[in-house]
């Protein structure tokens, strides 16, 4: 088994390799003067089971091309099996046609990864479960809930917890987390989105008065939804509001917005490498997922059960 990484999140790749007690494969992923990507693998991978760790966050197109070219290089070097480990799957929010003459870009990206030569895909908390069906190759979708629930129990287990979904679409995710937190009660934020990147909280479904609220979501981008939801929850009597999100996209001024919000803390995994602004924010904390990814990779290599990780 070999572990290879592009430039998207080298610290995560090194942490996974350390968990597996393996060195990262010696390879160069660099650019020509015109920004064309060039990949060269400096060691033999013939007949090897290779895992390529590369989230496709900002700059999404560059990181996606790095992933595709690395897969192609491995295929042409006669690797036995190539698994694309994509902790954050970019373009996942374009998983359906929201209107006429619009693309389903998540399906296009799935096709690109497959055609490049990947034999298997490993992701974490896909934005929509149906994206697994976009691939014609085996696809494992890991869940961040076990890592989050363990952190919540250790830090806030003595509070009167209530799990809150920031929108109706996230109720299934919130209910799964609530079940792990000794069947904590559930509330829902009813919001209306006027245009992309902006949201307006309309109502809180459930009694949050006197409760320590845990907002749960898969992606935090602009941060507007979480900040508005936190304000509404505090206005409805919540004692504190903490948000847990798997993927901290946090584009633009999101980190500053979170810092100035009524959120006690935003907890995100390290599926996306933190920018300087995110690292400097006083109320943003990272949860490591290298052990989760490393154990899943070990089980795939051993041909043992991945789903039993979440039993």
């Amino acid at each position: 088994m070999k572990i290879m990484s592009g430039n998207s999140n080298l610290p995560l790749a090194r942490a996974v390799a350390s968990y597996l007690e393996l060195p990262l494969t010696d390879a160069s992923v660099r650019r020509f003067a015109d920004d064309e990507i060039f990949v060269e693998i400096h060691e033999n991978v013939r007949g090897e089971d290779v895992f390529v760790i590369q989230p496709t966050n900002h700059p999404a197109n560059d990181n996606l091309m790095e992933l595709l070219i690395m897969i192609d290089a491995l295929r042409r070097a006669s690797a036995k099996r190539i698994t694309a480990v994509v902790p954050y799957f970019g373009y996942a929010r374009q998983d359906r046609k929201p209107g006429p003459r619009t693309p389903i870009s998540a399906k296009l990206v799935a096709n690109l990864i497959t055609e490049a030569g990947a034999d298997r895909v490993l992701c974490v908390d896909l934005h929509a479960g149906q994206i697994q069906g976009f691939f014609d190759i085996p696809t494992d979708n890991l869940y961040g809930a076990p890592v989050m629930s363990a952190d919540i129990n250790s830090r806030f287990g003595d509070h009167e917890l209530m799990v809150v979904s920031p929108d109706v679409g996230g109720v299934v995710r919130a209910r799964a987390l609530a079940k792990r937190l000794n069947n904590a009660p559930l509330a829902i934020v009813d919001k209306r989105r006027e245009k992309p990147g902006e949201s307006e909280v309309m109502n809180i479904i459930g009694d949050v008065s006197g409760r320590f609220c845990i907002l749960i979501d898969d992606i935090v981008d602009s941060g507007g939804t979480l900040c508005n939801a936190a304000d509404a929850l505090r206005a409805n009597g919540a004692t504190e509001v903490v948000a847990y999100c798997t993927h901290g996209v946090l584009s633009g001024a999101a980190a500053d917005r979170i810092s100035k919000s009524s959120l006690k803390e935003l907890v995100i995994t390290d599926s996306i490498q933190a920018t300087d602004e995110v690292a400097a924010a006083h109320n943003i904390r990272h949860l490591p997922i290298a052990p989760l990814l490393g154990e899943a990779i070990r089980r795939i290599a051993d041909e043992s059960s991945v789903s039993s990780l979440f039993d």
Side-chain angles (χ1 to χ4, degrees), residues 157-171:
D158 56 344
H159 293 76
E160 289 289 325
L161 297 179
M162 175 171 268
V163 177
V164 183
S165 173
D167 52 37
V168 174
V171 171

Side-chain angles (χ1 to χ4, degrees), residues 50-62:
V50 186
F51 294 82
V52 184
I53 301 175
Q54 178 80 343
T56 53
N57 52 282
H58 175 81
N61 299 332
D62 285 358

Side-chain angles (χ1 to χ4, degrees), residues 64-211:
L64 176 59
M65 280 303 299
E66 278 191 14
L67 173 63
L68 299 176
I69 295 171
M70 284 188 290
I71 291 170
D72 184 73
L74 289 167
R75 180 171 61 89
R76 296 176 188 279
S78 301
K80 180 178 70 175
R81 181 172 66 176
I82 305 165
T83 301
V85 182
V86 192
Y88 172 69
F89 185 81
Y91 288 98
R93 286 172 283 184
Q94 298 182 49
D95 61 328
R96 65 194 186 284
K97 282 173 67 77
R101 297 171 296 282
T102 56
I104 304 179
S105 303
K107 171 60 176 167
L108 172 63
V109 172
N111 288 345
L112 289 170
I113 292 173
T114 303
E115 289 301 316
D119 299 295
R120 191 178 192 98
V121 175
L122 177 65
C123 298
V124 180
D125 273 342
L126 284 169
H127 183 62
Q130 68 263 24
I131 294 174
Q132 280 184 283
F134 291 176
F135 288 93
D136 295 324
I137 54 178
T139 304
D140 293 300
N141 182 29
L142 304 181
Y143 301 106
V147 178
M148 294 178 180
S149 60
D151 188 76
I152 292 168
N153 279 324
S154 66
R155 287 177 172 264
F156 311 118
D158 56 344
H159 293 76
E160 289 289 325
L161 297 179
M162 175 171 268
V163 177
V164 183
S165 173
D167 52 37
V168 174
V171 171
V172 173
R173 183 182 301 107
R175 187 180 292 119
L177 179 65
K179 186 177 180 181
R180 289 180 175 273
L181 299 175
N182 300 315
N183 289 313
L186 184 67
I188 303 168
V189 178
D190 173 35
K191 75 177 192 309
R192 178 179 300 163
R193 189 181 296 275
E194 301 296 337
K195 58 183 179 180
E198 294 184 12
S199 64
E200 178 186 356
V201 172
M202 302 299 291
N203 194 24
I204 304 294
I205 303 171
D207 183 10
V208 300
S209 180
R211 294 281 187 171

